[in-house]
């Protein structure tokens, strides 16, 4: 089963959000319009809007506010992607040329800034102080996470704690915030809003860990980039951290990555094969499962509702994700 | 109204502390705060008797953060412009630093629950980036069209803030002054490039120089029209022009 089937009943809400997203990014400039429309049309899982809507349904569902939050969060996510592609010098995203590839870094910077500004214009039509305190704090944390990701590249001595803090900022916080804001604008109690925040945080952690595992265990056709690409870019992820507990493996990595640009596909394949012969992948899945178990646990006490069951199903789906 | 050089320095120092992020500064140095824009922003905001001290401090800080974020992103190079061995990291950090400053402006204003000001700044950023796109893709233009766009980009943020605070009395003079400052930088760049085209009387360089001369003359006359409530800024601007 595919993830979207889990929340098929949200189709009507998601269609409304999709329409609002298209309206939100209409720009006067032809190229800007073309760039942002192409980004939207490239698709994406719209996982943040899904969490906003589901959390909203658990409270007194306010369609207008939920829509605005969902649109803003997706726009923030999109703006981040456009700028990330400049940072990573990425040629393709979801199989299509990135904004920076098609129009250059300068236009990518303008496009990302434009989209973020639209996101904040949209969300500030909600006059709820709590919404802005939560979201603004998340935005700052996400930026810090991105800076630390660059800082920690090729740092072979980083700890598990460093990694977890990084993926928290990189992925988990925006999902946690999606859940919490959906709950807040639907008038849920602080206790339940916080539970949903915790749910989102744990789901986000698990999701990112699995993404990091798949970078080694999946293939170029599925990933849209070569297996082991994260490591090649200098990102030390959980499987590598576990595998580096073996001092010989750590040393061989350190030695070979003195000149990462010279590493061949065959050498990368060897590293991956070595990784697969260790318990690193299994242990990574175990940690991911621990986060999923926590996510499910935090939903206890939330009244029974179709949306709650869907949140549970999403957690279970993420645990089984192998591509 | 406080726009003495000492005041500007002290506000600058405070904003630099807010923006301080050691890892970024290790590779990009301290963010550059445009003092001329800061002086205008301070003048407009300090004159608002309806604003509390904390609001004034936050408005000035966040307006500067937005400007620095925009300026930092403007310095991101095209991939082919950068030397992959030395320039990749600073280029990456320019992207991230700009995003970080943008997050900070939102955060600082949400701390004082000023949702309207967040909206005003977001709208300014949106329009400035639309105008940057217009400028970037401008192929055939008259010097007047070019100046109009540069002015909108250069003064867009202050324009939005002044309209929101219902005090546009400085806009005419300040926008011209900031445009002149910008033109000076562009003329310097063209002179450094020592393009032979610069000799041609119809060249872009010669047109800019002509505009610069005309505008600097008319600005000297305009300074006298600054209203009394902004007398300190008038004094400040006179001294800046006379030292030019």
């Amino acid at each position: 089963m595919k993830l979207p089937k889990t929340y098929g009943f949200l189709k009507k809400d998601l269609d409304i959000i999709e329409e609002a997203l298209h309206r939100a990014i209409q720009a006067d400039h032809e190229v800007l319009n073309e760039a942002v429309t192409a980004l939207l049309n490239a698709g994406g899982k719209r996982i943040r809007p899904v969490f906003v809507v589901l959390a909203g349904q658990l409270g007194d569902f306010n369609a207008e506010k939920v829509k605005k939050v969902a649109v803003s969060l997706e726009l923030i996510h999109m703006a981040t992607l456009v700028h990330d592609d400049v940072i990573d010098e990425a040629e393709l995203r979801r199989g299509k040329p990135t904004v920076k590839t098609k129009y250059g870094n300068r236009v990518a910077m303008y496009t990302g800034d434009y989209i973020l500004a639209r996101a904040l214009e949209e969300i500030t039509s909600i006059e709820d102080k709590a919404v802005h305190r939560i979201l603004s704090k998340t935005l700052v944390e996400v930026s810090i996470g991105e800076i630390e990701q660059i800082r920690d590249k090729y740092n072979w001595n980083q700890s598990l704690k460093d990694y977890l803090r990084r993926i928290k900022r990189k992925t988990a916080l925006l999902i946690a915030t999606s859940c919490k804001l959906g709950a807040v604008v639907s008038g849920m109690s602080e206790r339940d809003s916080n539970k949903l925040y915790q749910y989102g945080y744990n789901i986000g952690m698990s999701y990112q860990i699995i993404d990091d595992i798949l970078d080694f265990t999946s293939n170029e056709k599925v990933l849209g980039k070569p297996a082991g690409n994260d490591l090649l870019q200098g990102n030390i992820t959980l499987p590598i951290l576990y595998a580096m507990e073996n001092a010989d493996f750590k040393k061989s990595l350190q030695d070979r990555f003195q000149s990462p640009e010279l590493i061949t596909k065959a050498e990368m394949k060897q590293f991956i094969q070595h990784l697969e012969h260790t318990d690193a992948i299994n242990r990574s899945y175990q940690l991911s499962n621990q986060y999923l178990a926590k996510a499910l646990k935090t939903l206890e006490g939330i009244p029974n509702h179709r949306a709650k069951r869907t949140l549970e199903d999403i957690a279970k789906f993420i645990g089984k994700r192998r591509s | 109204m406080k726009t003495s050089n000492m005041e500007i320095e002290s506000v600058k120092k405070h904003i630099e502390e807010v923006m301080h992020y050691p890892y970024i500064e290790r590779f990009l140095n301290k963010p550059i705060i445009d003092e001329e824009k800061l002086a205008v922003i301070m003048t407009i905001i300090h004159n608002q008797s309806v604003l509390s001290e904390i609001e004034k401090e936050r408005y000035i800080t966040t307006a500067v953060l937005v400007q620095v974020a925009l300026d930092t992103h403007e310095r991101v190079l095209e991939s082919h412009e950068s030397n992959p061995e030395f320039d990749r990291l600073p280029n990456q950090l320019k992207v991230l630093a700009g995003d970080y400053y943008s997050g900070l402006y939102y955060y600082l204003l949400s701390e004082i629950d000023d949702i309207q000001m967040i909206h005003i700044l977001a709208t300014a950023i949106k329009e400035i980036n639309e105008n940057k796109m217009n400028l970037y893709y401008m192929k055939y233009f008259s010097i007047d069209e070019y100046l109009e766009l540069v002015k909108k980009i250069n003064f867009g943020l202050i324009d939005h803030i002044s309209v929101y605070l219902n005090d546009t009395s400085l806009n005419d003079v300040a926008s011209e002054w900031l445009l002149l400052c910008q033109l000076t930088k562009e003329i310097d760049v063209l002179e450094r490039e020592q393009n032979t085209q610069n000799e041609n009387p119809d060249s872009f360089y010669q047109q800019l120089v002509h505009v610069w001369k005309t505008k600097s003359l008319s600005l000297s006359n305009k300074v006298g029209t600054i209203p009394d409530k902004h007398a300190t800024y008038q004094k400040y601007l006179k001294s800046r022009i006379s030292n030019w």
Side-chain angles (χ1 to χ4, degrees):
Chain A
M1 191 165 86
K2 289 198 164 188
L3 182 60
K5 286 198 176 167
T6 319
Y7 47 79
F9 68 98
L10 299 180
K11 190 177 181 309
K12 203 174 147 196
D13 293 296
L14 293 177
D15 284 348
I16 291 170
I17 290 167
E18 197 66 23
E19 260 185 55
L21 271 169
H22 278 272
R23 272 199 309 275
I25 49 145
Q26 289 302 310
D28 288 338
H29 196 278
E30 196 188 332
V31 175
L32 189 55
N33 221 12
E34 201 178 281
V36 287
T37 306
L39 265 169
L40 267 187
N41 290 341
K45 300 181 194 80
R46 305 285 189 257
I47 195 75
R48 289 149 202 87
V50 167
F51 283 124
V52 176
V53 174
L54 287 171
Q57 288 188 347
L58 289 168
D60 183 11
F61 192 75
N62 181 323
E64 199 51 33
K65 284 186 180 176
V66 162
K67 182 177 79 181
K68 280 177 179 161
V69 170
V71 165
S72 305
L73 284 168
E74 192 61 16
L75 290 179
I76 289 169
H77 172 62
M78 274 173 60
T80 314
L81 295 183
V82 177
H83 285 179
D84 279 354
D85 290 336
V86 174
I87 294 166
D88 298 338
E89 296 182 9
E91 299 288 319
L92 297 173
R93 181 170 287 278
R94 296 184 192 119
K96 303 266 169 60
T98 56
V99 177
K100 83 127 225 146
T101 305
K102 208 165 171 192
Y103 308 100
N105 284 352
R106 187 65 49 90
V107 171
M109 295 315 298
Y110 299 158
T111 306
D113 283 348
Y114 170 83
I115 298 173
L116 180 63
R118 282 295 299 120
L120 294 191
E121 272 194 322
E122 199 71 21
I123 196 97
T124 43
S125 60
I126 298 176
E127 289 185 5
D128 183 333
K129 297 162 185 175
V131 166
H132 301 289
R133 287 190 173 212
I134 297 162
L135 183 57
S136 65
K137 197 169 176 220
T138 299
L139 270 192
V140 173
E141 289 285 322
V142 168
S143 308
I144 293 174
E146 295 250 16
I147 295 166
E148 291 188 347
Q149 175 159 312
I150 296 274
R151 189 196 60 193
D152 291 345
K153 277 191 175 185
Y154 302 110
N155 174 5
W156 308 103
N157 294 318
Q158 62 187 276
S159 65
L160 177 62
K161 207 173 154 188
D162 293 327
Y163 166 79
L164 295 176
R165 192 174 48 217
R166 205 167 58 237
I167 65 165
K168 171 187 160 188
R169 285 170 165 155
K170 179 182 173 180
T171 307
L173 280 180
L174 209 50
I175 294 179
T177 300
S178 304
C179 294
K180 183 159 182 171
L181 292 187
V184 168
V185 296
S186 299
M188 287 183 80
S189 69
E190 199 178 337
R191 192 187 72 110
D192 286 348
S193 303
N194 287 338
K195 278 188 169 200
L196 285 165
Y197 181 88
Q198 283 307 320
Y199 164 85
Y201 164 77
N202 285 301
I203 285 285
M205 295 297 279
S206 167
Y207 190 88
Q208 187 57 52
I209 290 172
I210 293 177
D211 244 18
D212 292 342
I213 297 170
L214 291 175
D215 184 65
F216 293 108
T217 58
S218 193
N219 58 56
E220 188 161 359
K221 202 174 166 190
V222 177
L223 293 168
K225 55 187 179 179
N229 190 56
D230 285 343
L231 179 60
L232 204 56
Q233 296 285 328
N235 294 320
I236 318 289
T237 56
L238 189 60
I240 287 292
L241 274 177
Y242 281 146
M244 282 198 306
E245 287 173 11
N246 177 322
D248 291 338
F249 180 67
K250 183 177 177 180
K251 191 171 182 315
S252 69
L253 272 180
Q254 278 178 297
D255 289 346
R256 198 57 200 90
F257 274 81
Q258 294 284 339
S259 312
E261 68 282 0
L262 300 178
I263 291 172
T264 62
K265 271 192 175 180
E267 281 176 303
M268 187 51 77
K269 208 173 168 184
Q270 271 186 343
F271 280 127
I272 295 173
Q273 276 172 350
H274 179 88
L275 195 74
E276 284 169 345
H277 284 107
T278 70
D279 60 358
I281 300 289
N282 272 339
R283 285 171 69 197
S284 301
Y285 273 121
Q286 277 169 22
L287 186 59
S288 161
N289 287 338
Q290 282 176 27
Y291 280 109
L292 287 178
K294 279 189 202 167
L296 288 169
K297 180 104 180 130
T298 55
L299 290 178
E300 287 174 9
I302 299 271
N304 199 17
H305 187 284
R306 185 160 66 164
K308 178 186 169 180
R309 291 193 295 278
T310 307
L311 290 174
E312 289 167 344
D313 288 344
I314 290 175
K316 288 169 195 161
F317 177 89
I318 286 174
K320 290 179 193 153
R321 195 164 67 106
R322 293 294 181 271
S323 66
Chain B
M1 204 225 40
K2 304 166 180 179
T3 41
S4 69
N5 286 335
M6 254 175 70
E7 274 301 327
I8 291 173
E9 275 310 309
S10 137
V11 171
K12 244 180 91 175
K13 205 174 160 203
H14 165 71
I15 300 171
E16 280 168 357
E17 278 165 18
V18 172
M19 289 193 288
H20 179 60
Y21 199 103
Y23 183 71
I24 292 175
E25 287 172 23
R26 215 169 102 197
F27 296 94
L28 298 186
N29 299 321
K30 270 187 188 172
I32 304 157
I33 295 174
D34 186 326
E35 287 186 22
E36 298 305 332
K37 284 182 186 160
L38 174 59
V40 183
I41 291 166
M42 283 173 66
T43 302
I44 296 169
I45 291 171
H46 277 308
N47 226 282
Q48 295 288 318
S49 53
V50 289
L51 294 179
S52 67
E53 284 308 305
I54 180 78
E55 282 171 325
K56 286 179 183 174
E57 182 271 315
R58 289 296 158 99
Y59 281 17
I60 293 169
T61 305
T62 53
V64 172
L65 276 169
V66 167
Q67 191 60 57
V68 174
L70 290 166
D71 294 344
T72 307
H73 278 172
E74 195 59 35
R75 286 161 48 216
V76 171
L77 300 173
E78 295 296 341
S79 306
H80 59 82
E81 288 180 86
S82 57
N83 178 332
E85 278 183 38
F86 299 104
D87 289 338
R88 196 171 177 212
L89 180 59
N91 217 36
Q92 290 171 322
L93 287 176
K94 282 175 208 162
V95 179
L96 294 175
D99 290 345
Y100 175 62
Y101 305 143
S102 288
L104 275 184
Y105 100 73
Y106 183 25
Y107 177 72
L108 290 173
L109 287 172
S110 66
E111 259 193 344
I112 59 164
D113 301 321
D114 202 327
I115 300 165
Q116 258 190 300
M117 189 62 172
I118 299 165
H119 188 87
I120 296 294
L121 295 184
T123 302
I125 298 169
K126 177 191 76 178
E127 288 179 11
I128 288 169
N129 279 289
E130 283 180 308
N131 282 317
K132 283 183 171 184
M133 287 290 286
N134 286 329
L135 186 64
Y136 187 77
Y137 282 103
M138 197 178 227
K139 281 180 185 156
Y140 307 103
F141 54 84
S142 69
I143 190 76
D144 289 339
E145 284 172 314
Y146 172 79
L147 293 173
E148 191 54 35
L149 265 184
V150 172
K151 202 170 184 175
K152 279 182 182 169
I153 292 165
N154 209 25
F155 200 69
L157 178 65
I158 300 175
D159 188 41
H160 275 273
I161 294 170
S162 63
V163 170
Y164 175 59
L165 295 175
N166 208 16
D167 179 8
T168 54
S169 60
L170 267 186
N171 287 15
D172 189 24
V173 179
S175 62
E176 284 289 297
W177 165 242
L178 293 175
L179 178 63
L180 266 176
C181 295
Q182 182 62 29
L183 293 183
T184 309
K185 286 181 205 162
E186 291 183 19
I187 289 169
D188 280 350
V189 170
L190 289 172
E191 282 175 353
R192 272 203 305 275
E193 284 172 1
Q194 291 181 328
N195 193 331
T196 49
Q197 275 288 313
N198 288 354
E199 308 301 322
N200 181 344
D202 295 328
S203 70
F204 183 60
Y205 168 79
Q206 292 293 349
Q207 289 187 69
L208 280 188
V209 171
H210 175 72
V211 168
W212 189 94
K213 284 177 185 162
T214 318
K215 283 194 177 290
S216 58
L217 270 175
S218 73
L219 183 72
S220 303
N221 301 328
K222 275 185 182 175
V223 174
T225 65
I226 292 177
D228 288 348
K229 64 178 178 179
H230 296 314
T232 319
Y233 184 73
Q234 187 183 52
K235 200 175 150 195
Y236 167 85
L237 196 50
K238 274 182 180 168
S239 100
R240 294 290 292 120
I241 294 171
S242 67
N243 288 332
W244 229 8

